[in-house]
Amino acid sequence: MLRIVVCVSGGGTNLQAILDAMESGRITNTEVLAVISNNAGAGALERAKAHGIQGMVISPRQYEHREAFNEAFTEKMCALAPDLIVLAGFLVRIPPRMVHLFADRIINIHPALIPSFCGAGYYGLKVHEKVLERGVKVTGATVHFVNEGMDEGPIISQKAVGVEEGDTPEILQRRVMEQAEWVLLPAAVDDIANGRIAVAEGRVRRLGGS
């Protein structure tokens, strides 16, 4: 059984996609231990409560120094001891020590086709604003393992989504979520839970088929 902790900053639509996939059987052998947010008002915490899942709030704002937050956050995660940490729209950088302790056990969903529109400053609606500013015709989403860099870890999967005439950042964001994010993230969790992917020499390797 894969024991996961999901970290979310906002409404939790990707969390909901995971929970729905678990309920429908598209994710198997998986248990959500807790949902962590840096935002006490995050809708994700209400989604967790509705499913009987422990919700926790831990934010850099609660601490005088970022180092103190990093230490507290890391210790909290170590106490939970998940097999996998899922960043599902989490707008806080993961502490380096946590990345080290949970190497190849942290995944993130990014709302663009990495290496495009990623890195520092590219998060949430800002990604889709930049996509439209550049006038690209295709965007999408990426699920990747987390390393010490920003959106630089080994890529698990990507899905392209077309940019349409008249798109606003909000409309494009919704299409990317519906067509890519809510598909890719549950599939990645299920693949990891059932031993279908592994990381070797900094790259993702698929085992035994799909």
Side-chain angles (χ1 to χ4, degrees):
M1 180 71 70
L2 185 76
R3 302 161 67 250
I4 72 174
V5 169
V6 183
C7 299
V8 196
S9 292
T13 56
N14 275 305
L15 168 65
Q16 191 65 53
I18 291 170
L19 297 174
D20 290 347
M22 291 173 63
E23 290 177 356
S24 69
R26 288 181 290 116
I27 293 177
T28 59
N29 300 324
T30 300
E31 174 190 2
V32 181
L33 297 177
V35 171
I36 295 178
S37 182
N38 61 305
N39 175 12
L45 295 172
E46 289 302 316
R47 295 179 193 269
K49 183 178 179 181
H51 285 78
I53 299 168
Q54 181 182 15
M56 304 178 181
V57 177
I58 184 165
S59 169
R61 296 180 180 180
Q62 297 170 325
Y63 298 86
E64 186 174 354
H65 302 291
R66 188 59 178 250
E67 292 76 11
F69 163 77
N70 285 348
E71 181 178 353
F73 187 21
T74 301
E75 293 308 313
K76 174 63 69 176
M77 195 64 76
C78 288
L80 289 168
D83 301 311
L84 182 72
I85 300 168
V86 180
L87 309 182
F90 191 56
L91 305 183
V92 176
R93 186 155 189 173
I94 301 303
R97 181 166 168 257
M98 188 186 298
V99 173
H100 174 73
L101 290 172
F102 291 89
D104 300 333
R105 291 190 290 151
I106 308 175
I107 65 172
N108 178 56
I109 180 79
H110 182 73
L113 297 174
I114 293 173
S116 298
F117 304 103
C118 66
Y122 284 92
Y123 60 89
L125 202 62
K126 293 179 184 293
V127 175
H128 307 291
E129 291 171 350
K130 294 297 184 182
V131 165
L132 293 175
E133 284 177 14
R134 288 294 301 273
V136 301
K137 304 304 180 186
V138 176
T139 184
T142 304
V143 179
H144 65 95
F145 283 101
V146 173
N147 62 11
E148 294 82 0
M150 183 71 75
D151 299 328
E152 296 178 3
I155 290 174
I156 298 171
S157 57
Q158 293 183 305
K159 192 173 189 297
V161 175
V163 179
E164 299 180 4
E165 189 72 27
D167 272 349
T168 64
E170 293 80 7
I171 290 172
L172 184 57
Q173 180 183 53
R174 184 73 185 186
R175 187 182 309 117
V176 169
M177 288 192 296
E178 291 177 345
Q179 296 185 11
E181 295 182 43
W182 300 346
V183 176
L184 293 176
L185 191 57
V189 172
D190 187 60
D191 281 345
I192 293 169
N194 290 286
R196 290 191 289 267
I197 63 175
V199 182
E201 298 180 351
R203 299 187 66 178
V204 173
R205 186 162 61 96
R206 292 201 169 267
L207 310 173
S210 60

